[in-house]
Coordinates of all heavy atoms in Angstrom, one line a residue:
M1 N 193.9 -9.4 -37.7 CA 193.6 -10.8 -38.0 C 194.7 -11.4 -38.9 O 195.2 -10.8 -39.8 CB 192.3 -10.9 -38.7 CG 192.0 -12.3 -39.2 SD 190.3 -12.5 -39.8 CE 189.8 -11.0 -40.4
T2 N 195.2 -12.6 -38.6 CA 196.2 -13.2 -39.4 C 195.6 -14.3 -40.2 O 194.5 -14.7 -40.0 CB 197.3 -13.8 -38.5 OG1 196.7 -14.9 -37.7 CG2 197.9 -12.8 -37.6
D3 N 196.4 -14.8 -41.2 CA 195.9 -15.9 -42.0 C 196.5 -17.2 -41.5 O 196.3 -18.2 -42.1 CB 196.4 -15.6 -43.4 CG 195.7 -16.6 -44.4 OD1 194.5 -16.9 -44.2 OD2 196.3 -17.0 -45.4
S4 N 197.1 -17.2 -40.3 CA 197.6 -18.4 -39.8 C 196.6 -19.3 -39.1 O 195.5 -18.8 -38.7 CB 198.7 -18.1 -38.8 OG 198.2 -17.4 -37.7
S5 N 196.8 -20.6 -39.0 CA 195.9 -21.5 -38.3 C 196.0 -21.2 -36.8 O 196.9 -20.8 -36.3 CB 196.3 -22.9 -38.6 OG 196.2 -23.2 -40.0
T6 N 194.9 -21.6 -36.2 CA 194.8 -21.4 -34.8 C 195.7 -22.3 -34.0 O 196.2 -22.0 -33.0 CB 193.3 -21.5 -34.3 OG1 192.9 -22.8 -34.7 CG2 192.5 -20.4 -34.9
D7 N 195.9 -23.6 -34.5 CA 196.7 -24.5 -33.8 C 197.6 -25.2 -34.8 O 198.2 -26.2 -34.4 CB 195.8 -25.6 -33.1 CG 195.0 -26.4 -34.0 OD1 195.1 -26.2 -35.3 OD2 194.2 -27.2 -33.5
G8 N 197.8 -24.8 -36.0 CA 198.7 -25.4 -36.9 C 198.0 -26.5 -37.7 O 198.5 -26.9 -38.8
N9 N 196.9 -27.0 -37.3 CA 196.2 -28.1 -37.9 C 194.8 -27.8 -38.4 O 194.1 -28.6 -38.9 CB 196.1 -29.4 -37.0 CG 197.5 -29.9 -36.7 OD1 198.4 -29.9 -37.6 ND2 197.7 -30.3 -35.5
G10 N 194.3 -26.6 -38.0 CA 193.0 -26.2 -38.3 C 192.9 -25.1 -39.4 O 193.9 -24.8 -40.0
P11 N 191.7 -24.7 -39.7 CA 191.6 -23.6 -40.7 C 192.2 -22.3 -40.3 O 192.3 -22.1 -39.1 CB 190.1 -23.5 -40.9 CG 189.5 -24.0 -39.6 CD 190.5 -25.0 -39.1
S12 N 192.5 -21.5 -41.2 CA 193.1 -20.2 -40.9 C 192.0 -19.3 -40.2 O 190.8 -19.6 -40.4 CB 193.6 -19.4 -42.1 OG 192.5 -19.1 -43.0
D13 N 192.4 -18.3 -39.5 CA 191.4 -17.4 -38.9 C 190.6 -16.7 -40.0 O 189.3 -16.6 -39.8 CB 192.1 -16.3 -38.1 CG 192.8 -16.8 -36.8 OD1 192.7 -18.1 -36.5 OD2 193.5 -16.1 -36.1
E14 N 191.2 -16.4 -41.1 CA 190.5 -15.8 -42.2 C 189.4 -16.7 -42.7 O 188.3 -16.3 -43.0 CB 191.5 -15.3 -43.3 CG 190.8 -14.6 -44.4 CD 191.8 -14.1 -45.5 OE1 193.0 -14.3 -45.3 OE2 191.3 -13.6 -46.5
A15 N 189.8 -18.0 -42.9 CA 188.8 -18.9 -43.4 C 187.6 -19.1 -42.4 O 186.5 -19.2 -42.9 CB 189.5 -20.3 -43.6
V16 N 187.9 -19.1 -41.1 CA 186.8 -19.2 -40.1 C 185.9 -18.0 -40.3 O 184.6 -18.1 -40.3 CB 187.4 -19.3 -38.7 CG1 186.3 -19.1 -37.7 CG2 188.1 -20.6 -38.6
V17 N 186.4 -16.8 -40.3 CA 185.6 -15.6 -40.4 C 184.8 -15.5 -41.7 O 183.6 -15.2 -41.7 CB 186.5 -14.3 -40.3 CG1 185.7 -13.0 -40.6 CG2 187.1 -14.2 -38.9
N18 N 185.4 -15.9 -42.8 CA 184.7 -15.9 -44.1 C 183.6 -16.9 -44.1 O 182.5 -16.6 -44.6 CB 185.7 -16.1 -45.2 CG 186.6 -14.9 -45.5 OD1 186.3 -13.8 -45.1 ND2 187.7 -15.2 -46.2
T19 N 183.9 -18.1 -43.6 CA 182.9 -19.2 -43.6 C 181.7 -18.7 -42.7 O 180.5 -18.9 -43.2 CB 183.5 -20.5 -43.0 OG1 184.5 -20.9 -43.8 CG2 182.4 -21.5 -42.8
A20 N 181.9 -18.1 -41.6 CA 180.8 -17.7 -40.7 C 180.0 -16.6 -41.4 O 178.8 -16.6 -41.4 CB 181.4 -17.2 -39.4
S21 N 180.7 -15.6 -41.9 CA 180.0 -14.5 -42.6 C 179.2 -14.9 -43.7 O 178.0 -14.5 -43.9 CB 181.1 -13.5 -43.1 OG 181.8 -12.9 -42.1
E22 N 179.7 -15.8 -44.6 CA 179.0 -16.3 -45.7 C 177.7 -17.1 -45.3 O 176.7 -16.9 -45.9 CB 179.9 -17.1 -46.6 CG 180.9 -16.3 -47.4 CD 182.0 -17.1 -48.1 OE1 181.8 -18.4 -48.2 OE2 183.0 -16.6 -48.6
A23 N 177.9 -17.9 -44.3 CA 176.7 -18.7 -43.8 C 175.6 -17.8 -43.3 O 174.4 -18.0 -43.5 CB 177.2 -19.7 -42.8
A24 N 176.0 -16.8 -42.5 CA 175.0 -15.9 -41.9 C 174.3 -15.1 -43.0 O 173.0 -15.0 -43.0 CB 175.7 -15.0 -40.9
E25 N 175.0 -14.5 -43.9 CA 174.4 -13.7 -44.9 C 173.6 -14.6 -45.8 O 172.5 -14.2 -46.2 CB 175.5 -13.1 -45.8 CG 174.9 -12.1 -46.8 CD 176.0 -11.4 -47.6 OE1 177.0 -10.9 -46.9 OE2 175.8 -11.2 -48.8
G26 N 174.0 -15.8 -46.1 CA 173.3 -16.7 -47.0 C 172.0 -17.1 -46.4 O 170.9 -17.2 -47.1
L27 N 171.9 -17.3 -45.0 CA 170.7 -17.7 -44.4 C 169.7 -16.5 -44.5 O 168.5 -16.7 -44.8 CB 170.9 -18.1 -43.0 CG 169.6 -18.6 -42.3 CD1 169.7 -19.9 -41.7 CD2 169.0 -17.6 -41.4
V28 N 170.1 -15.3 -44.2 CA 169.2 -14.2 -44.2 C 168.7 -14.0 -45.6 O 167.5 -13.9 -45.8 CB 170.0 -12.9 -43.8 CG1 169.1 -11.7 -44.1 CG2 170.3 -12.9 -42.3
L29 N 169.5 -14.1 -46.6 CA 169.1 -13.9 -48.0 C 168.3 -15.1 -48.6 O 167.6 -15.0 -49.6 CB 170.2 -13.6 -48.9 CG 170.9 -12.2 -48.6 CD1 172.1 -12.0 -49.5 CD2 169.9 -11.1 -48.6
S30 N 168.3 -16.2 -47.9 CA 167.4 -17.3 -48.3 C 166.0 -17.1 -47.7 O 165.1 -17.8 -48.2 CB 168.0 -18.7 -47.8 OG 167.8 -18.8 -46.4
R31 N 165.9 -16.3 -46.7 CA 164.5 -16.1 -46.1 C 163.9 -14.7 -46.5 O 162.7 -14.6 -46.5 CB 164.7 -16.1 -44.6 CG 165.2 -17.5 -44.2 CD 164.7 -17.9 -42.9 NE 165.3 -19.2 -42.5 CZ 165.6 -19.5 -41.2 NH1 165.3 -18.7 -40.3 NH2 166.1 -20.7 -41.0
F32 N 164.7 -13.7 -46.8 CA 164.2 -12.5 -47.3 C 164.7 -12.2 -48.7 O 165.9 -12.5 -49.0 CB 164.7 -11.3 -46.4 CG 164.0 -11.2 -45.0 CD1 164.6 -11.8 -43.9 CD2 162.7 -10.7 -44.9 CE1 164.0 -11.7 -42.7 CE2 162.1 -10.6 -43.7 CZ 162.7 -11.1 -42.6
K33 N 163.9 -11.5 -49.5 CA 164.4 -11.0 -50.8 C 165.4 -9.9 -50.5 O 165.2 -9.1 -49.6 CB 163.3 -10.5 -51.6 CG 162.4 -11.5 -52.2 CD 161.5 -10.9 -53.2 CE 160.1 -10.6 -52.6 NZ 159.2 -10.0 -53.5
Q34 N 166.5 -9.9 -51.3 CA 167.5 -8.9 -51.0 C 166.9 -7.5 -51.1 O 167.3 -6.6 -50.3 CB 168.6 -9.0 -52.1 CG 169.8 -8.2 -51.7 CD 171.0 -8.5 -52.6 OE1 171.0 -9.4 -53.4 NE2 172.1 -7.8 -52.4
S35 N 165.9 -7.3 -51.9 CA 165.3 -5.9 -52.0 C 164.5 -5.6 -50.8 O 164.3 -4.4 -50.5 CB 164.5 -5.8 -53.3 OG 163.4 -6.8 -53.2
D36 N 164.1 -6.6 -50.0 CA 163.4 -6.3 -48.8 C 164.3 -6.0 -47.6 O 163.8 -5.5 -46.6 CB 162.5 -7.5 -48.4 CG 161.3 -7.6 -49.4 OD1 161.0 -6.7 -50.1 OD2 160.7 -8.7 -49.4
V37 N 165.6 -6.3 -47.7 CA 166.5 -6.1 -46.6 C 167.0 -4.7 -46.6 O 167.7 -4.3 -47.6 CB 167.7 -7.1 -46.7 CG1 168.7 -6.8 -45.6 CG2 167.2 -8.5 -46.6
R38 N 166.6 -3.9 -45.6 CA 167.0 -2.5 -45.6 C 168.4 -2.4 -45.1 O 169.2 -1.5 -45.6 CB 166.1 -1.8 -44.6 CG 164.6 -1.7 -45.1 CD 163.8 -1.0 -44.1 NE 162.4 -1.1 -44.4 CZ 161.4 -1.5 -43.5 NH1 161.7 -1.7 -42.3 NH2 160.2 -1.7 -43.9
D39 N 168.8 -3.2 -44.2 CA 170.2 -3.2 -43.7 C 170.6 -4.5 -43.1 O 169.8 -5.1 -42.4 CB 170.3 -2.1 -42.6 CG 171.8 -1.8 -42.2 OD1 172.7 -2.2 -43.0 OD2 172.0 -1.2 -41.2
L40 N 171.8 -5.0 -43.4 CA 172.3 -6.2 -42.9 C 173.7 -6.0 -42.5 O 174.5 -5.6 -43.4 CB 172.1 -7.4 -43.9 CG 172.8 -8.7 -43.6 CD1 172.2 -9.3 -42.3 CD2 172.7 -9.7 -44.7
D41 N 174.0 -6.3 -41.3 CA 175.4 -6.2 -40.8 C 175.8 -7.5 -40.1 O 175.2 -7.8 -39.1 CB 175.6 -5.0 -39.9 CG 177.0 -4.8 -39.4 OD1 177.9 -5.0 -40.2 OD2 177.2 -4.3 -38.3
V42 N 176.8 -8.2 -40.6 CA 177.3 -9.4 -40.0 C 178.7 -9.1 -39.5 O 179.6 -8.8 -40.3 CB 177.3 -10.6 -41.0 CG1 177.8 -11.8 -40.3 CG2 175.9 -10.8 -41.5
T43 N 178.9 -9.2 -38.2 CA 180.2 -8.9 -37.6 C 180.7 -10.3 -37.0 O 180.0 -10.9 -36.2 CB 180.1 -7.9 -36.5 OG1 179.6 -6.7 -37.1 CG2 181.5 -7.6 -36.0
V44 N 181.9 -10.7 -37.5 CA 182.4 -11.9 -37.0 C 183.8 -11.7 -36.6 O 184.6 -11.1 -37.2 CB 182.5 -13.0 -38.2 CG1 183.1 -14.3 -37.7 CG2 181.1 -13.3 -38.7
T45 N 184.1 -12.2 -35.4 CA 185.5 -12.2 -34.9 C 185.9 -13.6 -34.4 O 185.0 -14.3 -34.0 CB 185.7 -11.2 -33.7 OG1 184.8 -11.6 -32.6 CG2 185.5 -9.8 -34.1
F46 N 187.1 -13.9 -34.6 CA 187.7 -15.2 -34.2 C 189.0 -14.9 -33.6 O 190.0 -14.7 -34.4 CB 187.7 -16.2 -35.4 CG 188.1 -17.6 -35.0 CD1 187.3 -18.3 -34.2 CD2 189.4 -18.1 -35.4 CE1 187.7 -19.6 -33.8 CE2 189.8 -19.3 -35.0 CZ 189.0 -20.1 -34.2
E47 N 189.1 -14.9 -32.3 CA 190.4 -14.7 -31.6 C 190.6 -15.7 -30.5 O 189.6 -16.0 -29.8 CB 190.4 -13.2 -31.0 CG 190.3 -12.1 -32.1 CD 190.3 -10.8 -31.5 OE1 190.6 -10.6 -30.3 OE2 190.0 -9.8 -32.2
D48 N 191.8 -16.2 -30.4 CA 192.1 -17.2 -29.4 C 191.2 -18.3 -29.4 O 190.8 -18.8 -28.3 CB 192.2 -16.5 -28.0 CG 193.3 -15.4 -28.0 OD1 194.3 -15.6 -28.6 OD2 193.0 -14.4 -27.3
G49 N 190.7 -18.8 -30.5 CA 189.8 -19.9 -30.6 C 188.3 -19.6 -30.2 O 187.5 -20.5 -30.1
V50 N 188.0 -18.3 -30.0 CA 186.6 -18.0 -29.7 C 186.0 -17.3 -30.8 O 186.5 -16.2 -31.3 CB 186.7 -17.0 -28.4 CG1 185.2 -16.6 -28.1 CG2 187.3 -17.7 -27.2
L51 N 184.8 -17.8 -31.3 CA 184.1 -17.2 -32.3 C 182.9 -16.4 -31.8 O 182.2 -16.8 -30.9 CB 183.5 -18.4 -33.2 CG 182.6 -17.9 -34.4 CD1 183.4 -17.3 -35.5 CD2 181.8 -19.1 -34.9
E52 N 182.9 -15.2 -32.3 CA 181.7 -14.3 -31.9 C 181.1 -13.8 -33.2 O 181.7 -13.4 -34.1 CB 182.2 -13.1 -31.1 CG 182.7 -13.4 -29.8 CD 183.0 -12.2 -28.9 OE1 182.4 -11.1 -29.2 OE2 183.9 -12.3 -28.1
V53 N 179.8 -14.0 -33.3 CA 179.0 -13.6 -34.4 C 177.8 -12.7 -34.0 O 177.1 -13.1 -33.1 CB 178.4 -14.9 -35.1 CG1 177.6 -14.5 -36.4 CG2 179.5 -15.9 -35.5
D54 N 177.8 -11.6 -34.6 CA 176.7 -10.6 -34.3 C 176.0 -10.3 -35.6 O 176.7 -9.9 -36.6 CB 177.3 -9.4 -33.7 CG 176.2 -8.4 -33.2 OD1 175.1 -8.9 -32.7 OD2 176.4 -7.2 -33.3
V55 N 174.7 -10.5 -35.7 CA 173.9 -10.2 -36.9 C 172.9 -9.1 -36.6 O 172.1 -9.3 -35.7 CB 173.3 -11.5 -37.4 CG1 172.5 -11.2 -38.7 CG2 174.3 -12.6 -37.7
Y56 N 173.0 -8.0 -37.3 CA 171.9 -7.0 -37.3 C 171.2 -7.0 -38.6 O 171.8 -7.0 -39.7 CB 172.6 -5.6 -37.1 CG 171.6 -4.5 -37.3 CD1 170.6 -4.2 -36.3 CD2 171.5 -3.8 -38.5 CE1 169.7 -3.2 -36.5 CE2 170.6 -2.8 -38.7 CZ 169.7 -2.5 -37.6 OH 168.7 -1.5 -37.8
L57 N 169.9 -7.1 -38.5 CA 169.0 -7.2 -39.6 C 167.9 -6.2 -39.5 O 167.2 -6.2 -38.5 CB 168.4 -8.6 -39.8 CG 167.4 -8.8 -40.9 CD1 168.0 -8.5 -42.3 CD2 166.8 -10.3 -40.8
N58 N 167.7 -5.4 -40.5 CA 166.6 -4.4 -40.6 C 165.8 -4.8 -41.8 O 166.2 -4.6 -43.0 CB 167.1 -3.0 -40.7 CG 165.9 -2.0 -40.7 OD1 164.8 -2.4 -40.8 ND2 166.3 -0.7 -40.6
A59 N 164.7 -5.5 -41.6 CA 163.8 -6.0 -42.6 C 162.4 -5.8 -42.1 O 162.2 -5.9 -40.9 CB 164.1 -7.4 -43.0
P60 N 161.5 -5.7 -43.1 CA 160.1 -5.5 -42.6 C 159.5 -6.8 -42.0 O 159.9 -7.9 -42.4 CB 159.4 -5.2 -43.9 CG 160.2 -5.8 -45.0 CD 161.6 -5.7 -44.5
E61 N 158.6 -6.6 -41.1 CA 157.9 -7.8 -40.6 C 157.1 -8.4 -41.7 O 156.4 -7.6 -42.4 CB 156.9 -7.3 -39.5 CG 157.6 -6.8 -38.2 CD 158.1 -7.9 -37.3 OE1 157.6 -9.1 -37.4 OE2 159.0 -7.7 -36.6
A62 N 157.3 -9.6 -41.9 CA 156.6 -10.3 -43.1 C 155.3 -11.0 -42.5 O 155.2 -11.3 -41.3 CB 157.5 -11.3 -43.7
E63 N 154.4 -11.3 -43.4 CA 153.3 -12.1 -43.1 C 153.7 -13.5 -42.7 O 154.7 -14.0 -43.3 CB 152.3 -12.1 -44.2 CG 151.7 -10.8 -44.6 CD 150.7 -10.8 -45.7 OE1 150.2 -11.9 -46.0 OE2 150.5 -9.8 -46.4
G64 N 153.0 -14.1 -41.8 CA 153.4 -15.4 -41.4 C 154.4 -15.5 -40.3 O 154.4 -14.7 -39.4
D65 N 155.3 -16.5 -40.4 CA 156.2 -16.8 -39.3 C 157.6 -16.1 -39.5 O 158.5 -16.3 -38.7 CB 156.5 -18.3 -39.3 CG 155.2 -19.0 -39.0 OD1 154.3 -18.5 -38.3 OD2 155.1 -20.2 -39.4
L66 N 157.8 -15.2 -40.4 CA 159.1 -14.6 -40.7 C 159.3 -13.4 -39.8 O 158.9 -12.3 -40.1 CB 159.2 -14.3 -42.1 CG 160.6 -14.3 -42.8 CD1 161.3 -15.6 -42.5 CD2 160.5 -14.1 -44.2
D67 N 160.0 -13.6 -38.7 CA 160.4 -12.5 -37.7 C 161.9 -12.1 -37.9 O 162.7 -13.0 -37.8 CB 160.2 -13.0 -36.3 CG 160.6 -12.0 -35.3 OD1 160.6 -10.8 -35.5 OD2 160.9 -12.5 -34.1
P68 N 162.1 -10.9 -38.3 CA 163.5 -10.5 -38.6 C 164.5 -10.8 -37.4 O 165.6 -11.2 -37.6 CB 163.5 -9.0 -38.8 CG 162.1 -8.8 -39.3 CD 161.2 -9.8 -38.6
E69 N 164.0 -10.6 -36.2 CA 164.9 -10.9 -35.0 C 165.2 -12.4 -35.0 O 166.4 -12.8 -34.7 CB 164.2 -10.4 -33.7 CG 165.1 -10.6 -32.5 CD 164.5 -9.9 -31.3 OE1 163.8 -8.9 -31.4 OE2 164.6 -10.6 -30.2
Q70 N 164.3 -13.2 -35.2 CA 164.5 -14.7 -35.2 C 165.4 -15.1 -36.4 O 166.3 -15.9 -36.2 CB 163.2 -15.4 -35.3 CG 163.4 -17.0 -35.2 CD 164.0 -17.4 -33.9 OE1 163.5 -17.0 -32.8 NE2 165.1 -18.2 -34.0
V71 N 165.2 -14.4 -37.5 CA 166.1 -14.7 -38.7 C 167.5 -14.3 -38.3 O 168.5 -15.1 -38.7 CB 165.6 -14.0 -39.9 CG1 166.6 -14.2 -41.1 CG2 164.2 -14.6 -40.4
A72 N 167.7 -13.2 -37.7 CA 169.1 -12.8 -37.3 C 169.7 -13.8 -36.3 O 170.9 -14.2 -36.5 CB 169.1 -11.4 -36.7
D73 N 168.9 -14.3 -35.4 CA 169.4 -15.3 -34.4 C 169.7 -16.6 -35.2 O 170.8 -17.2 -34.9 CB 168.4 -15.6 -33.3 CG 168.2 -14.5 -32.4 OD1 169.1 -13.6 -32.3 OD2 167.2 -14.5 -31.6
D74 N 168.9 -17.0 -36.1 CA 169.1 -18.2 -36.9 C 170.4 -18.1 -37.7 O 171.1 -19.0 -37.9 CB 167.9 -18.5 -37.8 CG 166.7 -19.0 -37.0 OD1 166.8 -19.2 -35.8 OD2 165.6 -19.0 -37.6
A75 N 170.6 -16.8 -38.2 CA 171.8 -16.6 -39.1 C 173.1 -16.8 -38.2 O 174.1 -17.3 -38.7 CB 171.7 -15.2 -39.7
A76 N 173.1 -16.3 -37.0 CA 174.2 -16.4 -36.1 C 174.5 -17.9 -35.8 O 175.6 -18.4 -35.8 CB 174.0 -15.7 -34.8
L77 N 173.4 -18.7 -35.6 CA 173.5 -20.1 -35.4 C 174.0 -20.8 -36.6 O 174.8 -21.8 -36.5 CB 172.2 -20.7 -34.9 CG 171.7 -20.3 -33.5 CD1 170.3 -20.8 -33.3 CD2 172.7 -20.8 -32.5
A78 N 173.6 -20.4 -37.8 CA 174.1 -21.0 -39.0 C 175.6 -20.7 -39.2 O 176.3 -21.6 -39.7 CB 173.3 -20.4 -40.2
A79 N 176.0 -19.6 -38.8 CA 177.4 -19.2 -38.9 C 178.2 -20.1 -38.0 O 179.3 -20.7 -38.4 CB 177.6 -17.8 -38.5
Q80 N 177.8 -20.3 -36.8 CA 178.5 -21.2 -35.8 C 178.5 -22.6 -36.3 O 179.5 -23.3 -36.2 CB 177.8 -21.1 -34.4 CG 177.9 -19.8 -33.8 CD 177.1 -19.6 -32.6 OE1 176.2 -20.5 -32.2 NE2 177.2 -18.5 -31.9
S81 N 177.4 -23.1 -36.9 CA 177.3 -24.5 -37.4 C 178.3 -24.6 -38.6 O 179.0 -25.7 -38.7 CB 175.9 -24.8 -37.8 OG 175.8 -26.1 -38.4
A82 N 178.4 -23.6 -39.5 CA 179.3 -23.7 -40.6 C 180.7 -23.8 -40.2 O 181.5 -24.5 -40.7 CB 179.0 -22.5 -41.5
V83 N 181.0 -23.0 -39.1 CA 182.4 -23.1 -38.6 C 182.7 -24.4 -37.9 O 183.8 -25.0 -38.1 CB 182.7 -21.9 -37.6 CG1 184.0 -22.1 -36.9 CG2 182.7 -20.6 -38.4
D84 N 181.7 -25.0 -37.2 CA 181.9 -26.3 -36.7 C 182.2 -27.3 -37.8 O 183.1 -28.2 -37.6 CB 180.6 -26.8 -35.9 CG 180.5 -26.0 -34.6 OD1 181.4 -25.4 -34.1 OD2 179.4 -26.1 -34.0
E85 N 181.5 -27.2 -38.9 CA 181.7 -28.1 -40.0 C 183.1 -27.9 -40.6 O 183.7 -28.9 -41.0 CB 180.6 -27.9 -41.1 CG 179.2 -28.4 -40.7 CD 178.2 -28.1 -41.7 OE1 178.5 -27.8 -42.9 OE2 177.0 -28.2 -41.3
L86 N 183.5 -26.7 -40.7 CA 184.8 -26.4 -41.2 C 185.9 -27.0 -40.4 O 186.8 -27.7 -40.9 CB 185.0 -24.8 -41.3 CG 186.4 -24.4 -41.8 CD1 186.6 -24.7 -43.2 CD2 186.5 -22.9 -41.6
F87 N 185.8 -26.9 -39.0 CA 186.8 -27.5 -38.2 C 186.7 -29.1 -38.2 O 187.7 -29.7 -38.1 CB 186.6 -27.1 -36.7 CG 187.3 -25.8 -36.4 CD1 186.7 -24.6 -36.5 CD2 188.7 -25.8 -36.1 CE1 187.4 -23.4 -36.2 CE2 189.4 -24.6 -35.8 CZ 188.7 -23.4 -35.9
A88 N 185.5 -29.6 -38.5 CA 185.4 -31.1 -38.6 C 186.1 -31.6 -39.8 O 186.6 -32.7 -39.8 CB 183.9 -31.4 -38.7
E89 N 186.3 -30.8 -40.8 CA 187.0 -31.2 -42.0 C 188.5 -31.4 -41.7 O 189.2 -32.1 -42.4 CB 186.9 -30.2 -43.1 CG 185.5 -30.1 -43.7 CD 185.4 -28.9 -44.7 OE1 186.4 -28.4 -45.1 OE2 184.2 -28.6 -45.1
Y90 N 189.0 -30.8 -40.6 CA 190.4 -30.9 -40.2 C 190.7 -31.9 -39.2 O 191.8 -32.1 -38.8 CB 190.9 -29.5 -39.7 CG 191.1 -28.5 -40.8 CD1 190.0 -27.7 -41.3 CD2 192.3 -28.3 -41.4 CE1 190.1 -26.8 -42.3 CE2 192.5 -27.4 -42.5 CZ 191.4 -26.7 -42.9 OH 191.5 -25.8 -43.9
E91 N 189.6 -32.6 -38.7 CA 189.8 -33.7 -37.7 C 190.3 -35.0 -38.4 O 190.0 -35.3 -39.5 CB 188.6 -33.9 -36.9 CG 188.3 -32.7 -36.1 CD 187.0 -32.9 -35.2 OE1 186.3 -33.9 -35.4 OE2 186.7 -32.1 -34.4

């Protein structure tokens, strides 16, 4: 991964990956206590303008509406949204 911009006018690849990772992790930890998260793996790649986000979450099923699988999906969407906002800053 390089620190160069994807098109010279946008954020660096590193900034994209960091933004996505932080957003995904932040969403998970906003819904689960850190002590309840057994394992969290956020994998982000950004190559040739394509963002891929994979979130693995191992957390207990909570009472109510908190489903770990749904939270992982929401975290990936939050990462994509954060990157969209990052690119919007360069428009």
Side-chain angles (χ1 to χ4, degrees):
M1 171 174 28
T2 65
D3 192 34
S4 62
S5 295
T6 57
D7 63 5
N9 295 321
S12 68
D13 292 356
E14 183 177 355
V16 170
V17 169
N18 288 340
T19 297
S21 297
E22 290 171 8
E25 185 175 321
L27 184 128
V28 169
L29 296 178
S30 75
R31 300 211 182 149
F32 286 100
K33 287 190 263 181
Q34 189 169 0
S35 61
D36 289 341
V37 175
R38 295 180 190 130
D39 191 16
L40 173 61
D41 183 34
V42 178
T43 304
V44 179
T45 58
F46 184 68
E47 295 179 14
D48 299 324
V50 178
L51 177 70
E52 291 187 28
V53 180
D54 187 35
V55 178
Y56 169 76
L57 173 62
N58 182 351
E61 293 281 336
E63 294 180 23
D65 298 330
L66 209 52
D67 174 27
E69 187 173 320
Q70 183 62 51
V71 172
D73 290 344
D74 291 348
L77 291 173
Q80 293 169 353
S81 180
V83 169
D84 288 344
E85 290 176 16
L86 178 66
F87 273 95
E89 293 175 11
Y90 286 85
E91 291 181 356

